[in-house]
Amino acid sequence: MCRLAVFPVNLISKGDILDILQDMEGVRTGHGFGYGFVREDQFISRKTSLPLSEILKKKSYKDFFGDCFNHDGLVMFHSRKASHGEVSYRNCHPFESKNYLFMHNGSFNECSLVEALLGDEIKYKSETDTEVCLHFLEKIGVKKFQLVVKDSGVFLAMEKTGNLNVF
């Protein structure tokens, strides 16, 4: 199962956050890692198919995190355990749309049905149920989405205002 975390990075030390994320990764994940936040109404995100433990072994790990720890808002983190789609960069979280930066932990069993309902207008960049859910959220809005995805895991959807929706 994937692991999700959200931190107000200006209130917790970088070292403490990295320690928590490493503990969270454990042996249950390791099929990719990513993070995202909002700065000046723009989504900032990075992701890789490497596990966090491998990123931190590299001398250039500070480049991967950039300035995400020098930020006044929330930062979402995702450690992937592949359940839909292969282990690859394109299947790692977060996913981005016009209005949301999006992560998911769990399985959305109605994925094929929703994908069919959304039709051919969507050009998917991944093989994940998470990306399907992101497009579904864009289509039906927060209130309806919350009703449909209950019992399908945890979803994080950050808006460009920095507002965080948790489903």
Side-chain angles (χ1 to χ4, degrees):
M1 189 178 295
C2 300
R3 300 288 190 252
L4 304 172
V6 179
F7 295 103
V9 294
N10 61 328
L11 300 177
I12 304 171
S13 77
K14 175 183 173 181
D16 286 345
I17 291 171
L18 290 175
D19 286 346
I20 292 167
L21 292 173
Q22 283 183 283
D23 288 345
M24 184 177 83
E25 180 178 77
V27 296
R28 299 188 199 297
T29 63
H31 298 147
F33 182 81
Y35 68 86
F37 59 96
V38 176
R39 175 174 287 137
E40 298 175 5
D41 299 325
Q42 296 295 314
F43 295 127
I44 310 293
S45 66
R46 289 288 305 267
K47 59 185 177 179
T48 177
S49 58
L50 294 174
L52 175 63
S53 55
E54 291 299 315
I55 296 166
L56 293 176
K57 288 178 185 176
K58 296 179 178 228
K59 290 182 181 179
S60 61
Y61 85 89
K62 291 179 183 176
D63 292 335
F64 176 79
F65 285 102
D67 62 352
C68 90
F69 293 107
N70 302 321
H71 172 60
D72 288 338
L74 298 173
V75 178
M76 305 185 310
F77 296 91
H78 185 276
S79 185
R80 183 167 190 253
K81 172 69 173 166
S83 60
H84 289 86
E86 66 185 5
V87 176
S88 68
Y89 170 83
R90 68 188 185 124
N91 290 330
C92 292
H93 304 201
F95 293 98
E96 185 178 324
S97 69
K98 179 181 169 189
N99 296 307
Y100 300 101
L101 194 60
F102 198 75
M103 298 177 174
H104 173 221
N105 172 23
S107 292
F108 182 62
N109 296 328
E110 293 80 11
C111 185
S112 297
L113 176 63
V114 168
E115 197 170 359
L117 289 171
L118 290 173
D120 294 334
E121 66 191 59
I122 307 291
K123 300 298 181 217
Y124 297 98
K125 297 176 184 172
S126 77
E127 305 165 318
T128 68
D129 57 341
T130 303
E131 187 186 9
V132 172
C133 288
L134 171 59
H135 293 291
F136 194 44
L137 169 62
E138 283 280 0
K139 183 93 172 167
I140 67 172
V142 169
K143 288 183 181 181
K144 289 181 183 175
F145 182 79
Q146 186 170 3
L147 295 173
V148 173
V149 299
K150 65 180 182 177
D151 303 324
S152 297
V154 176
F155 297 85
L156 301 178
M158 186 174 283
E159 300 173 15
K160 288 188 176 178
T161 60
N163 184 44
L164 180 66
N165 297 284
V166 180
F167 311 101

